[in-house]
C-alpha cells in the first residue's frame, strides 16, 4: 500500500509540474533561509561556550565614579585581579589580558602583529585555547616569552618547530623566546590574538610596577571561581575589599571604583561596556523572529497552493470514495504526498545550502560553519524540519480533500465552504502582515545605516591615510620629508585618530565656581597641524599654533563642548583661560573645539581634551590628493623604507577605518534585507495560489459576466478587490508591530533616526504593488478566457 501511495504521489507531482515546481521552490528557499538563520543564531549564542570552565569564569567590570560623572567600563585597574585572588580563597585563578600591536622580526622577515595580547601565565589553565607545542603551565611565565598561533608561526618559521627559537619584538629589537604554538583561536571567541606575550614582559620590563597601580585602568580581567562558588555572592563582598585595599587612595583622588562580575558566557551578547568584540542580543532576537516568519510563510504558502489545486482533484476523490476508499486512507495518501514533496525540497535544500554557504559566510562576516556536512546535526535538523513541515502543512489540505461529498463533486458542484475560505484568507493576511512588517523594518534599517554613513561627523576623513610609526625615532624626519611631496597636501602626527582608541586621563579642570573639579577625560596628543588637517571647528579661543610654541607644548589644553558642559559652563567662551592639571602638567584652557564624533555614532560624544605632546605621537596622518594616488603612495613608501627601515610599510584610509565601526550593523542590514526579500517572494507564491483557487471557483461567474457585457478591466478589478482588502487588513496589523520592534532596535544607537510616517505609507504602497502584480496574471488570464468553455456544461 505504501509503495502504491508513493507511486501515485510521484505521478501527481509529475503531472502537475508547474504546481510542483512552485511549491517545491517555495519550500526549498524557505527552509534554506531558515536554516542559515538558525546557524547564524546558534553561532552567536555559542561565543566562548567552548571553554570547559566557562560557567566558572567571570569578567571583572568597573563603574568609576568621580565628582563629574560615572564611567562604565569593561576594563579594570592592573592591581584588582591579583589582589582579589589573594584575598578570596573562593577564587581559583585570574587572568589579565591587554591588547597591543607589536613589530616582530625574524631574519629578513618583519610583520606588524596587530592582534597581540599580553597575558598572564595562567592563560592556558583558565581558557581552553589548545597549545599544540610547548608547556601550557610555563609558556607565559618568563619575561619576553611569546606564543604564536599556527598561522602566525608559519610566517616566520615555515613548517619547522619554532619552540625555543628567538624573534625580535618592538622597535627596540628585544629578543623574545618562542615558548609555544597554539591552535588558531576559534571564530566564536571574544578573545582573539595571533601572538601572546607574557604579562611579566609588561609589568616587570616595559612598565615596571604596573601590578601595584590601582588607578591605572587598562586590563581586561577574568576570575576563575572554584566549583560551587556563586558569582553574585562574591560580588557582594567586593565593595568591602575595595574600601580595605584602595579606600584611602580613592578618597584622595575622588575616584571611587565599584566592581561587578559578568559571567563570561553572557559577555558577548549582553554587555553594554565594550572592551572586547561584542554582538547584539537584539539582532539575535530579530533574526530568530525572521526565521520563524519565513518558516511560517513557507508552510502557509504550501497550504494555499495545495488547497488551490484541490479543485482539480475533487472528482478523483469522489470517484475513489464511490469505489470504496476510506477517508483515513485518502488522508494518509495526501499527507504522504506532502511528505514526498518535502523530501524533494529537503534534497534541494541540502544542495542550496552547500552552494550558498560560502556566500552566507561572506555576508555575515563570520565563518558560521565551514560546511553543512561538518556537523551531522545540520543534516538531521534539515531532515526533521522538512518532514515536520510535510506532516503539519499537509494535514489541512488532506482534511479538505477527504471531506468532499462524492455526489456533489461528481455533479460539478464543488465548494469548500465559508470556513475554508476564511482560513485561507486569514493565512494570506498573516503572510502579508509579515511581509509588510519586513518591508517597514528594511526601510528603517536602510535609513539608519544611511544616516550613520552620511551624518556630519564634525571632522574631515576623506583622502587621509594613516601610518603607525609605533614610536620609531624616524617619524619626525619622515613626516617632514613627505610633506614636500607633490601629492601630499598636509601631514600631522598624533597619538589617536577618530575611530581609533585613545587614553583616558585623570584630570582636574577649573569649574564655573573656580574649584578644580576631578574628571576622567578622553585625551588626544596632537601636533600643531592636527586641528587644521582634520578641519575641526573652534567655537571659542584658538587652536594650537607654532606662534605659541613654548606655551602650547607645556601649558595649553583644548576641550570640546561636552567637556565644557561637564564643568558647568553655559558657553564655551567662559572656559577660556581656566586652569587644568593633567598627568603632571598644569596650564590653562586656550580653546574649545566644536563637538566631533571621535567614536562610533552608537556612542554619545564624550568629554575630550587635547594637548601638544610631541614625544608621544606615533600615528602619521597624511592628507593626499586624489590625482595620481598610486604614484603618491609609492613615493611615501619609498621615503618610509628609507627613514624607517626597521618597520614594515602599511597604511589604511581613515574613512574606511572609521566605517569599520559600523561593519556589524552593515552586515545586519544586508542579511535583514536579503531574508526579507525571500520572505516576500515566498508570500507572493502563496498569494498566487489563492488567486488561482479563487479564479477557478468563479470561472462560471466570469463567463456569465462576459456574456452580459462585462469588460476585461472590470473583471480584473472584481477579482483583485478582495485581495486588496486583505492587504489593507495586513497593513493595519503589521504597522504597529513593526514600529514597536524597530523602535526597540534603534535604542541601541546613541544617534538615530526618527521613525517617520512616510515609511509606513511606502511599505503599504509597495505591498499593494507586489500583491497587484502577483494577482494580475491570474486575473487577466481569467478575464481574457473564452466564456463558451466555462459555460458549456451549464
Amino acid at each position: 500500500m505504501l509503495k502504491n501511495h508513493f507511486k501515485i504521489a510521484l505521478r501527481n507531482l509529475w503531472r502537475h509540474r508547474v504546481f510542483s515546481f512552485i511549491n517545491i521552490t517555495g519550500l526549498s528557499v524557505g527552509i534554506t533561509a531558515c536554516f542559515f538563520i538558525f546557524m547564524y543564531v546558534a553561532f552567536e549564542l555559542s561565543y566562548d561556550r567552548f571553554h570547559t570552565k566557562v560557567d566558572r569564569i567571570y569578567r571583572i567590570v568597573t563603574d568609576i565614579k568621580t565628582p563629574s560623572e560615572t564611567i562604565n567600563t569593561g576594563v579594570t585597574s592592573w592591581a584588582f585581579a591579583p589582589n582579589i585572588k589573594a584575598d578570596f580563597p573562593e577564587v581559583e585563578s585570574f587572568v589579565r589580558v591587554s591588547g597591543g600591536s607589536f613589530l616582530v622580526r625574524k631574519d629578513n622577515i618583519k610583520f606588524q602583529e596587530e592582534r597581540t595580547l599580553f597575558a598572564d601565565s595562567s592563560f592556558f589553565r583558565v581558557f581552553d585555547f589548545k597549545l599544540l607545542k610547548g608547556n601550557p603551565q610555563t609558556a607565559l611565565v618568563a619575561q619576553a616569552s611569546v606564543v604564536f598561533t599556527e598561522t602566525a608561526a608559519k610566517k616566520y618559521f615555515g613548517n619547522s618547530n619554532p619552540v625555543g627559537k628567538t624573534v625580535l619584538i618592538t622597535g627596540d629589537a628585544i629578543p623574545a623566546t618562542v615558548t609555544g604554538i597554539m591552535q588558531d583561536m576559534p571564530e566564536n571567541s571574544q578573545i582573539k590574538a595571533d601572538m601572546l606575550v607574557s604579562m611579566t614582559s609588561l609589568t616587570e620590563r616595559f612598565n615596571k610596577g604596573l601590578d601595584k597601580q590601582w588607578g591605572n585602568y587598562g586590563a581586561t580581567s577574568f576570575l576563575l571561581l572554584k566549583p560551587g562558588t556563586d558569582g553574585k555572592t562574591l560580588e557582594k563582598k567586593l565593595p568591602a575589599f575595595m574600601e580595605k585595599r584602595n579606600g584611602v587612595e580613592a578618597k584622595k583622588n575622588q575616584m571611587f571604583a565599584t566592581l561587578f562580575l559578568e559571567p563570561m558566557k553572557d559577555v558577548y551578547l549582553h554587555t553594554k561596556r565594550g572592551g572586547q568584540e561584542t554582538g547584539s542580543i537584539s539582532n539575535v532576537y530579530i533574526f530568530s523572529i525572521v526565521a520563524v516568519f519565513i518558516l511560517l510563510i513557507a508552510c502557509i504558502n504550501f497550504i494555499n497552493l495545495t488547497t488551490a489545486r484541490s479543485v482539480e482533484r475533487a472528482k478523483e476523490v469522489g470517484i475513489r470514495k464511490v469505489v470504496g476508499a476510506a477517508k483515513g486512507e485518502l488522508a494518509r495518501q495526501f499527507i504522504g504526498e506532502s511528505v514526498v514533496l518535502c523530501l524533494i525540497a529537503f534534497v534541494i535544500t541540502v544542495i542550496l545550502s552547500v552552494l550558498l554557504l560560502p556566500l552566507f559566510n561572506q555576508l555575515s562576516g563570520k565563518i558560521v560553519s565551514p560546511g553543512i556536512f561538518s556537523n551531522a546535526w545540520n543534516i538531521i535538523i534539515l531532515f526533521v524540519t522538512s518532514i515536520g513541515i510535510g506532516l503539519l502543512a499537509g494535514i489541512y489540505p488532506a482534511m479538505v480533500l477527504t471531506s468532499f461529498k462524492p455526489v456533489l463533486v461528481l455533479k460539478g458542484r464543488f465548494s469548500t465552504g465559508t470556513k475554508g475560505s476564511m482560513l485561507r484568507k486569514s493565512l494570506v493576511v498573516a503572510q502579508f502582515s509579515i511581509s509588510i512588517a519586513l518591508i517597514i523594518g528594511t526601510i528603517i534599517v536602510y535609513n539608519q545605516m544611511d544616516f550613520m554613513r552620511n551624518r556630519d561627523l564634525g571632522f574631515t576623513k576623506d583622502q587621509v591615510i594613516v601610518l603607525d610609526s609605533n614610536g620609531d625615532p624616524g617619524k619626525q624626519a619622515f613626516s617632514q620629508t613627505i610633506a614636500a611631496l607633490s601629492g601630499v597636501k598636509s601631514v600631522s602626527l598624533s597619538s589617536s585618530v577618530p575611530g581609533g582608541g585613545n587614553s583616558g586621563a585623570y584630570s582636574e579642570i577649573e569649574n564655573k565656581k573656580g574649584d578644580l573639579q576631578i574628571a576622567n577625560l578622553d585625551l588626544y596628543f596632537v601636533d600643531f597641524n592636527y586641528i587644521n588637517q582634520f578641519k575641526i571647528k573652534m567655537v571659542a579661543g584658538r587652536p594650537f599654533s607654532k606662534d605659541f610654541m613654548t606655551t602650547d607644548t607645556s601649558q595649553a589644553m583644548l576641550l570640546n563642548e561636552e567637556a565644557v558642559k561637564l564643568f558647568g559652563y553655559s558657553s564655551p567662551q567662559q572656559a577660556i583661560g581656566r586652569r587644568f592639571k593633567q598627568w603632571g602638567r598644569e596650564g590653562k584652557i586656550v580653546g574649545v573645539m566644536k563637538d566631533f564624533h571621535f567614536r562610533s555614532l552608537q556612542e554619545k560624544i564624550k568629554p575630550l581634551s587635547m594637548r601638544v605632546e610631541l614625544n608621544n605621537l606615533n600615528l602619521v596622518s597624511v592628507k593626499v590628493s586624489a590625482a595620481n594616488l598610486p604614484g603618491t603612495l609609492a613615493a611615501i613608501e619609498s621615503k618610509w623604507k628609507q627613514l624607517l627601515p626597521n618597520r614594515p610599510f602599511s597604511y589604511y584610509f581613515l574613512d574606511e577605518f572609521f566605517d569599520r565601526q559600523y561593519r556589524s550593523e552593515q552586515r545586519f542590514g544586508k542579511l535583514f534585507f536579503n531574508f526579507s526579500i525571500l520572505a516576500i517572494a515566498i508570500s507572493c507564491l502563496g498569494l498566487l495560489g489563492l488567486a488561482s483557487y479563487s479564479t477557478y471557483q468563479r470561472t462560471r461567474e466570469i463567463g456569465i459576466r462576459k456574456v452580459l457585457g462585462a469588460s476585461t478591466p472590470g473583471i480584473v478589478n472584481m477579482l483583485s478587490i478582495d485581495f486588496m482588502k486583505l492587504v489593507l487588513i495586513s497593513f493595519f496589523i503589521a504597522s504597529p508591530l513593526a514600529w514597536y520592534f524597530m523602535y526597540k532596535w534603534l535604542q541601541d544607537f546613541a544617534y538615530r533616526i526618527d521613525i517617520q510616517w512616510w515609511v509606513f505609507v511606502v511599505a503599504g504602497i509597495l505591498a499593494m504593488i507586489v500583491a497587484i502584480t502577483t494577482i494580475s496574471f491570474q486575473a487577466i488570464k481569467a478575464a481574457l478566457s473564452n466564456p463558451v468553455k466555462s459555460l458549456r456544461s451549464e
Side-chain angles (χ1 to χ4, degrees):
M1 184 63 72
L2 287 174
K3 184 178 179 182
N4 187 49
H5 287 338
F6 184 72
K7 284 182 178 179
I8 293 173
L10 291 178
R11 192 178 301 128
N12 279 316
L13 292 175
W14 180 250
R15 184 180 301 132
H16 304 280
R17 290 184 288 276
V18 174
F19 156 81
S20 300
F21 174 78
I22 293 173
N23 217 343
I24 290 171
T25 299
L27 276 175
S28 302
V29 172
I31 296 173
T32 302
C34 187
F35 175 63
F36 281 153
I37 294 176
F38 162 78
M39 287 200 298
Y40 176 82
V41 169
F43 180 81
E44 291 291 283
L45 294 173
S46 72
Y47 259 77
D48 299 315
R49 301 299 178 105
F50 59 89
H51 299 297
T52 56
K53 303 168 186 172
V54 70
D55 290 332
R56 296 194 283 129
I57 302 173
Y58 290 80
R59 184 175 76 153
I60 312 173
V61 297
T62 318
D63 282 357
I64 307 170
K65 186 176 181 181
T66 72
S68 304
E69 60 195 334
T70 298
I71 303 164
N72 309 118
T73 178
V75 296
T76 69
S77 159
W78 293 93
F80 286 176
N83 284 282
I84 291 174
K85 169 68 173 70
D87 282 18
F88 295 99
E90 53 263 59
V91 176
E92 182 176 314
S93 189
F94 72 91
V95 176
R96 295 164 302 172
V97 295
S98 179
S101 174
F102 264 67
L103 173 65
V104 181
R105 282 177 284 176
K106 170 69 169 62
D107 299 329
N108 294 323
I109 304 169
K110 54 187 176 183
F111 283 98
Q112 186 70 28
E113 294 293 351
E114 300 293 345
R115 298 202 312 175
T116 300
L117 285 179
F118 287 106
D120 281 306
S121 59
S122 55
F123 185 83
F124 292 107
R125 295 195 297 274
V126 173
F127 301 123
D128 289 339
F129 296 111
K130 188 175 181 182
L131 199 64
L132 303 175
K133 292 182 174 67
N135 185 341
Q137 304 296 321
T138 60
L140 293 172
V141 172
Q143 283 188 40
S145 297
V146 298
V147 173
F148 286 112
T149 61
E150 282 184 285
T151 301
K154 285 180 180 178
K155 292 188 298 189
Y156 304 102
F157 300 97
N159 294 320
S160 64
N161 183 1
V163 174
K165 296 181 180 178
T166 300
V167 293
L168 303 178
I169 60 174
T170 78
D172 296 329
I174 297 171
T177 304
V178 180
T179 54
I181 300 299
M182 63 179 173
Q183 198 172 63
D184 288 355
M185 290 185 170
E187 188 77 18
N188 58 341
S189 172
Q190 283 187 85
I191 300 173
K192 287 187 171 74
D194 296 316
M195 182 175 83
L196 301 177
V197 181
S198 57
M199 184 62 72
T200 50
S201 306
L202 178 63
T203 60
E204 296 177 10
R205 181 164 188 166
F206 300 135
N207 197 339
K208 197 168 184 179
L210 191 63
D211 278 345
K212 297 180 175 60
Q213 296 182 14
W214 288 80
N216 188 339
Y217 289 79
T220 301
S221 302
F222 296 90
L223 297 179
L224 174 64
L225 306 187
K226 290 181 179 177
T229 302
D230 179 61
K232 287 294 180 184
T233 302
L234 176 60
E235 184 180 271
K236 292 176 182 177
K237 299 178 183 179
L238 296 178
F241 159 81
M242 290 300 295
E243 177 62 29
K244 170 188 170 185
R245 287 283 195 168
N246 193 47
V248 174
E249 186 176 344
K251 289 172 184 175
K252 175 184 175 183
N253 296 328
Q254 297 185 58
M255 291 186 68
F256 301 91
T258 303
L259 306 186
F260 301 93
L261 299 182
E262 289 184 338
M264 187 180 186
K265 60 186 178 183
D266 296 337
V267 171
Y268 176 72
L269 287 177
H270 296 279
T271 190
K272 297 295 183 184
R273 296 172 181 267
Q276 294 171 269
E277 179 188 3
T278 57
S280 169
I281 191 64
S282 297
N283 290 355
V284 168
Y285 289 148
I286 288 172
F287 276 128
S288 298
I289 292 169
V290 170
V292 172
F293 281 171
I294 290 176
L295 200 58
L296 183 61
I297 288 172
C299 291
I300 292 172
N301 174 59
F302 180 91
I303 292 170
N304 275 342
L305 285 171
T306 306
T307 306
R309 220 198 95 210
S310 65
V311 294
E312 301 175 21
R313 304 194 65 180
K315 289 187 178 180
E316 174 195 342
V317 173
I319 292 170
R320 294 184 65 184
K321 278 193 170 185
V322 168
V323 297
K327 187 174 181 179
E329 182 184 339
L330 290 171
R332 283 192 295 274
Q333 179 190 327
F334 293 131
I335 291 174
E337 288 182 14
S338 297
V339 171
V340 169
L341 191 145
C342 288
L343 284 174
I344 296 171
F346 161 73
V347 174
I348 295 173
T349 297
V350 171
I351 295 170
L352 286 175
S353 299
V354 171
L355 295 176
L356 298 178
L357 187 57
L359 176 61
F360 180 72
N361 284 334
Q362 183 180 346
L363 281 173
S364 67
K366 301 176 180 181
I367 308 298
V368 296
S369 178
I372 65 166
F373 297 109
S374 62
N375 188 341
W377 279 106
N378 289 341
I379 302 298
I380 294 172
I381 289 167
L382 277 178
F383 181 78
V384 171
T385 301
S386 302
I387 296 297
I389 290 175
L391 292 173
L392 294 174
I395 289 174
Y396 173 70
M399 289 172 59
V400 171
L401 288 166
T402 56
S403 65
F404 298 156
K405 292 184 175 17
V407 175
L408 295 178
V409 296
L410 292 176
K411 286 183 178 181
R413 299 173 186 172
F414 168 71
S415 175
T416 57
T418 305
K419 290 183 179 178
S421 176
M422 286 300 296
L423 177 60
R424 285 187 295 277
K425 289 180 179 179
S426 298
L427 292 177
V428 170
V429 168
Q431 278 187 314
F432 265 82
S433 295
I434 293 170
S435 297
I436 292 170
L438 291 174
I439 291 172
I440 293 170
T442 301
I443 294 173
I444 292 172
V445 168
Y446 174 82
N447 285 340
Q448 177 63 22
M449 295 300 104
D450 186 64
F451 170 80
M452 293 170 70
R453 282 192 300 268
N454 297 316
R455 180 178 169 85
D456 181 11
L457 299 172
F459 71 96
T460 299
K461 58 184 173 68
D462 298 327
Q463 296 301 126
V464 175
I465 66 168
V466 182
L467 306 98
D468 187 357
S469 71
N470 204 25
D472 193 293
K475 62 189 176 184
Q476 291 284 0
F478 169 74
S479 63
Q480 292 168 6
T481 302
I482 64 172
L485 295 176
S486 59
V488 174
K489 293 182 176 180
S490 63
V491 181
S492 175
L493 289 167
S494 64
S495 64
S496 306
V497 292
N502 58 268
S503 301
Y506 178 86
S507 311
E508 296 176 68
I509 309 292
E510 183 181 355
N511 60 25
K512 191 174 182 180
K513 297 177 182 178
D515 301 323
L516 285 175
Q517 180 177 322
I518 293 171
N520 191 74
L521 299 181
D522 284 297
L523 173 62
Y524 275 27
F525 292 132
V526 301
D527 68 2
F528 295 104
N529 297 333
Y530 193 87
I531 298 294
N532 182 57
Q533 174 160 301
F534 288 98
K535 294 188 173 11
I536 299 169
K537 295 178 182 177
M538 302 296 297
V539 293
R542 63 173 179 83
F544 297 126
S545 171
K546 289 183 179 178
D547 294 337
F548 303 93
M549 173 76 76
T550 303
T551 300
D552 286 358
T553 54
S554 60
Q555 302 172 23
M557 175 184 282
L558 300 183
L559 295 178
N560 67 351
E561 292 173 294
E562 276 299 310
V564 167
K565 294 174 187 175
L566 182 66
F567 299 109
Y569 299 110
S570 56
S571 72
Q573 193 62 44
Q574 294 175 345
I576 303 302
R578 300 288 183 158
R579 295 172 294 146
F580 78 83
K581 291 183 180 181
Q582 187 184 69
W583 280 3
R585 177 174 291 187
E586 298 183 27
K588 293 184 179 181
I589 310 300
V590 299
V592 177
M593 303 170 287
K594 185 176 180 59
D595 283 339
F596 67 95
H597 292 277
F598 59 96
R599 292 187 184 174
S600 164
L601 288 174
Q602 287 178 294
E603 301 180 48
K604 288 191 174 181
I605 296 175
K606 295 184 177 180
L608 175 68
S609 59
M610 278 191 189
R611 283 171 30 198
V612 174
E613 190 78 42
L614 299 178
N615 293 324
N616 290 308
L617 310 179
N618 294 329
L619 299 181
V620 184
S621 304
V622 187
K623 181 83 171 178
V624 294
S625 172
N628 192 27
L629 184 58
T632 301
L633 291 174
I636 292 172
E637 181 177 7
S638 174
K639 297 300 181 184
W640 178 278
K641 290 179 177 178
Q642 177 185 337
L643 298 169
L644 291 85
N646 293 325
R647 296 196 55 76
F649 177 76
S650 65
Y651 66 90
Y652 55 84
F653 282 92
L654 182 61
D655 54 351
E656 294 177 359
F657 177 74
F658 192 87
D659 290 344
R660 284 179 200 167
Q661 300 173 103
Y662 311 125
R663 203 171 271 174
S664 61
E665 285 75 27
Q666 290 166 352
R667 287 168 180 158
F668 169 80
K670 287 181 181 178
L671 288 173
F672 191 88
F673 173 79
N674 288 318
F675 286 126
S676 296
I677 293 297
L678 286 176
I680 293 165
I682 298 169
S683 292
C684 289
L685 289 176
L687 187 61
L688 180 65
L690 190 57
S692 172
Y693 175 83
S694 177
T695 303
Y696 187 93
Q697 286 284 71
R698 303 178 73 173
T699 301
R700 291 177 178 81
E701 177 190 348
I702 294 168
I704 293 170
R705 285 178 180 272
K706 290 196 71 174
V707 168
L708 294 176
S711 65
T712 297
I715 291 173
V716 171
N717 182 63
M718 177 195 72
L719 293 172
S720 302
I721 194 69
D722 287 342
F723 294 104
M724 293 304 99
K725 291 177 183 177
L726 298 180
V727 174
L728 193 61
I729 293 169
S730 301
F731 173 77
F732 286 111
I733 293 172
S735 294
L737 292 174
W739 178 89
Y740 174 79
F741 284 109
M742 296 315 298
Y743 175 81
K744 288 287 188 183
W745 178 74
L746 287 170
Q747 300 313 299
D748 287 339
F749 299 88
Y751 299 91
R752 52 186 176 267
I753 61 169
D754 294 322
I755 301 177
Q756 303 291 334
W757 61 269
W758 62 263
V759 171
F760 302 95
V761 174
V762 169
I765 292 172
L766 286 174
M768 285 287 187
I769 292 172
V770 169
I772 290 171
T773 304
T774 305
I775 295 162
S776 294
F777 173 76
Q778 285 294 335
I780 293 171
K781 180 181 175 183
L784 294 175
S785 64
N786 189 344
V788 174
K789 292 182 179 179
S790 60
L791 297 175
R792 63 188 173 187
S793 61
E794 295 297 318

